[in-house]
Amino acid sequence: MTGSPRRTLVTTALALLAAVAPLTSSATAAPRAPAAADAPADLDLSKSAAQWIDKNTLAWDVRGDAASQELVYARDGQLTVKDGELAGEGRRIRLTPAEGGLTDAQRKKYPHLKGYAAFTVDPRDRDRVRTALTGQLVATRSGADGTLLGATGVQTQGILDDLYGARATKAALGPQFRGGRPTLAVWAPTAQSVSLELDGKRVAMRRDDASGVWSVTGARSWSGKQYRYVVKVWAPSVQKVVTNKVTDPYSTALTADSQRSIAVDLDDPKLAPKGWEKLRKPGATPLRDAQIQELHIRDFSVEDRTAKHPGQYLAFTDTASDGMKHLRELAKAGTSYVHLLPAFDIGTIPERAADQSKPDCDLKASAPDSEEQQACVTKTAAKDAYNWGYDPLHYTVPEGSYASDPAGTRRTVEFREMVQGLNGSGLRTVMDVVYNHTVASGQADKSVLDKIVPGYYQRLLADGTVATSTCCANTAPENAMMGKLVVDSLVTWAREYKVDGFRFDLMGHHPKANILAVRKALDALTLKKDGVDGKNIVLYGEGWNFGEIADDARFVQATQKNMAGTGIATFSDRGRDAVRGGGPFDEDPGVQGFASGLFTDPNASKANGTPAEQKARVLHYQDLIKVALTGNLADYTFTDSAGKKVKGSEVDYNGAPAGYAAAPGDALSYADAHDNEALYDALAFKLPADTTAAERSRMQVLAMATATLAQGPSLSQAGSDLLRSKSLDRNSYDSGDWFNALHWDCRDGNGFGRGLPPAADNKDKWSYGKPLLTSASLTPGCTEINGTSAAYRDLVKLRATEPAFSLATAGRVQSRLSFPLSGTSAETPGVITMEVGDLVVVFNATPQAQKQSVAALKGAAYKLHPVQAKGGDPVVKSSSYERSSGTFDVPARSVAVFERG
């Protein structure tokens, strides 16, 4: 912490004089003495190391004494450092060192700045603050002899919130219609001017000084017109004042490829498909009971020969297509939600079909283990029609490439028709949303937010550069107006598109407070007022803890442990890794787990260790799965495999607690999702090479069962019940239709053997994958594909119809769910026996039939549950129970559910 520098009378006088006079150019400035040897100058104006956190306080990570410190601002951005001096015409704001540094309240609000020195704006200069924010800002420190000791740009997120946040967060932004007349409003507090470009003309906009919002009200004729904002603003990323022509971050409609915003009223009856106002949704399923299919819009139908609208929103209205028939079967079994990968305006897909590239080779002609397919697909990947879509350009407009016409409002109508189609099939709709980053920042072509309020919407590191820990330009939802954008956007999707839930990408990069604000805003929506019951909207997300905000470094994050008890679920990787084995980034993909043969059916990989090591690890994996089956409850108490009584939070998961949830529904279980290898591909790497297709099918079902039969919500990647493969691709975000498309007809195969996966993310695993891709045992036929699907639907039906799998509180889980053989001599490696209510579930991951004797149940009557006894899995029907000994007999590689009575 920097103490108060000593100031001589002369230095003080010089500072007072400088404060009231413009900074002169270097040509007329007084000579400067060289910096002292122990205080090297840090004079880089391209960095922004100082942070103006409120209207009175500048925080700066500096050490040592300085005689004076100031803020210098220049409207035209002419300040530079030349020959160790600050040059250019500017005006000064005096700063005084704050005794004791930042206050306790400031440290609490900005914990990452707690070690910074604090400087207070001189009261005599506070009338200059708002003006200073509209130009270049430089923080300086000088020695007693006038030597420039430090000069840096200034981050202004904090002061912008302090000055404008209270009013701006209440403002209605974007196109707002009243009586048919639109008002267009944009928040741009640092802009020197903002005008509207509409119909080739410039229209002046009015600035509200209290909020920093610029707005203009137009005539009815403006409805449907294209527009952009013309914003003149200082841009630190290029160190100059720029005039940006930029689309509306609150756009509700766009032209093709997002070149212009369109002034559209989403309440216009012309945009409502038939029956929209009276849309009847399936009954709401509480989050703790949600069974979710994760689905990419293009994957769903692009290779479905029975779809009339392949690759489009309208494919979900093709009721006779194979894909829609499959979804209806899943809904009938008990699947409640379809989770759509990002469907907002995406920055990495050309929206016009004519502009999209296609692979120019015969992909079907190459061998199953060839490098040719991936090479051909990769050549066109940047300009083809495919991307997962985690590249947000405009947050609140549907993506145009999935519409029959990307120009205008067809995308609005057709997105609504998609929701109708899913709802009509018995499924509610979840949107995958990506508010943690943007596709670009600064002055890049596809930057929007950062061109309007530079340095505000993106999260900045200590030097002022944009953080990219999410893989792209991070946003800063901790800042008031980015947080508002998140809330406003989600309310629009819920109210105007009747979306039933949201899945947050990298939710841990949001403040917990922001996600709770979303929950509060959605809860306020009512059927009478808004046409939707917001309390029925489900929320869940990725609560990973990493990056510049890790461990609550800047705010309390929306991470796994922090979201416990909120009713907002986080993905749990604990059970996933235990079921599959190892982790997603293992050097050797052959590391086995509970459902891939660890110890019970070892493969040839040396990474699995000795038999003794394998046995110890599979038993620990079983403990992780037991915790997952409880809903990852932190306080659930049970006997672990070592015979020790533990809580879920005391079971180790890579140095973190396995159990972190406070109630069922806090944790979402899954065995696979779009990220990392599909479950079938992970098992392909891990199961012994000679495992038959039939046995692989059974292990697929077993793995999926650990998530499906767990307390709380579960998610499955669409097609996993059909043994879906991406030909071993671990990161297929840009791998095109060839590696990603779903195959609903078993005669088309499951996607395995389509060639080696793209080199960029997979080449280091090619040596492992090449011999697999030509293996006959890894090419399932219709018997295996359809059998897997039927068995999975039985599990979903069990989950949806048996109250024992839907225990509402942690207390009920504790009293109703147990693992009677855990930690005893009867616990079998590769087998988990769970008693829940009047049910007993045996997960047998071994290649042999297993008998599980539960002494406490001796004399009780049990039988295989009717759903399985009459279901689609002929093998599990051979399961039996011996009443006299309380012994359950389950065939190899099976999960069997028994009911009492």
Side-chain angles (χ1 to χ4, degrees), residues 30 34 119 137 249 253 287 292 316 379 398 416 447 486 508 537 556 601 622 698 746 758 761 783 825 856:
F119 302 92
L137 267 171
L287 180 59
I292 305 164
F316 295 91
K379 286 180 182 178
R416 289 170 166 175
S447 173
V486 173
I537 293 173
V556 177
D601 193 14
Q622 289 176 200
R698 302 202 63 73
C746 63
D761 289 302
T783 299
S825 59

Side-chain angles (χ1 to χ4, degrees), residues 665-680:
D666 284 348
L668 182 146
S669 299
Y670 68 114
D672 76 339
H674 66 277
D675 279 323
N676 311 309
E677 290 90 354
L679 178 59
Y680 186 85

Side-chain angles (χ1 to χ4, degrees), residues 304-642:
D304 185 349
R305 292 183 296 274
T306 65
K308 296 178 181 178
H309 305 90
Q312 296 182 12
Y313 296 123
L314 291 179
F316 295 91
T317 69
D318 295 336
T319 56
S321 72
D322 288 345
M324 287 306 294
K325 288 177 182 177
H326 193 84
L327 289 186
R328 285 198 298 275
E329 286 295 313
L330 289 172
K332 184 179 178 181
T335 298
S336 41
Y337 293 90
V338 161
H339 159 159
L340 300 169
L341 265 65
F344 48 67
D345 183 43
I346 300 167
T348 46
I349 302 177
E351 291 188 333
R352 296 184 183 90
D355 297 331
Q356 297 166 355
S357 301
K358 295 181 179 180
D360 61 355
C361 50
D362 185 353
L363 296 170
K364 295 180 180 180
S366 297
D369 62 346
S370 171
E371 298 179 23
E372 296 302 315
Q373 297 96 325
Q374 64 86 32
C376 184
V377 167
T378 300
K379 286 180 182 178
T380 57
K383 293 185 179 180
D384 68 1
Y386 195 88
N387 199 285
W388 277 349
Y390 292 91
D391 303 305
L393 187 50
H394 296 87
Y395 285 115
T396 322
V397 181
E399 163 59 18
S401 67
Y402 301 142
S404 60
D405 183 354
T409 55
R410 284 308 307 165
R411 61 177 85 184
T412 300
V413 177
E414 291 173 7
F415 188 102
R416 289 170 166 175
E417 290 180 296
M418 174 180 67
V419 172
Q420 278 183 313
L422 286 166
N423 288 174
S425 297
L427 295 158
R428 288 188 158 228
T429 307
V430 170
M431 273 188 72
D432 200 327
V433 290
V434 189
Y435 295 102
N436 64 81
H437 63 248
T438 53
V439 69
S441 64
Q443 289 297 113
D445 287 345
K446 292 183 179 179
S447 173
V448 176
L449 295 168
D450 214 18
K451 285 184 176 179
I452 296 173
V453 193
Y456 178 84
Y457 285 102
Q458 317 293 156
R459 182 177 297 127
L460 304 183
L461 298 175
D463 64 356
T465 56
V466 175
T468 57
S469 58
T470 66
C471 84
C472 306
N474 295 4
T475 61
E478 64 270 27
N479 296 340
M481 294 303 286
M482 184 62 213
K484 171 183 167 62
L485 176 56
V486 173
V487 174
D488 290 350
S489 176
L490 290 168
V491 166
T492 299
W493 284 114
R495 184 164 53 201
E496 304 293 350
Y497 292 93
K498 301 187 180 182
V499 173
D500 304 297
F502 300 99
R503 176 267 195 191
F504 290 88
D505 181 63
L506 300 183
M507 189 169 70
H509 270 59
H510 288 254
K512 177 180 178 180
N514 179 233
I515 303 301
L516 293 181
V518 169
R519 179 75 273 171
K520 182 178 179 180
L522 294 175
D523 286 348
L525 301 178
T526 66
L527 280 170
K528 183 177 181 180
K529 177 172 60 74
D530 305 289
V532 294
D533 184 349
K535 289 185 171 65
N536 286 334
I537 293 173
V538 299
L539 300 178
Y540 57 96
E542 293 180 304
W544 315 136
N545 177 37
F546 69 95
E548 71 285 349
I549 42 74
D551 301 321
D552 300 333
R554 297 195 180 205
F555 45 77
V556 177
Q557 301 161 259
T559 49
Q560 289 172 324
K561 68 182 180 70
N562 289 342
M563 296 308 290
T566 65
I568 299 167
T570 54
F571 283 81
S572 173
D573 41 359
R574 278 69 165 154
R576 177 203 66 184
D577 288 353
V579 166
R580 293 161 68 110
F585 309 108
D586 293 332
E587 183 177 344
D588 182 346
V591 177
Q592 292 178 286
F594 175 79
S596 57
L598 180 64
F599 181 68
T600 63
D601 193 14
N603 60 28
S605 173
K606 295 181 179 179
N608 287 307
T610 66
E613 290 170 333
Q614 290 190 41
K615 181 179 180 180
R617 197 162 84 251
V618 77
L619 288 172
H620 180 65
Y621 278 162
Q622 289 176 200
D623 288 339
L624 287 172
I625 295 169
K626 292 166 196 170
V627 176
L629 288 167
T630 73
N632 275 95
L633 295 176
D635 292 335
Y636 178 83
T637 304
F638 72 108
T639 301
D640 69 9
S641 296

Side-chain angles (χ1 to χ4, degrees), residues 247 254-261 345-346 351 393-394 411:
T247 48
L254 295 160
T255 61
D257 293 324
S258 313
Q259 295 300 302
R260 301 284 193 282
S261 302
D345 183 43
I346 300 167
E351 291 188 333
L393 187 50
H394 296 87
R411 61 177 85 184

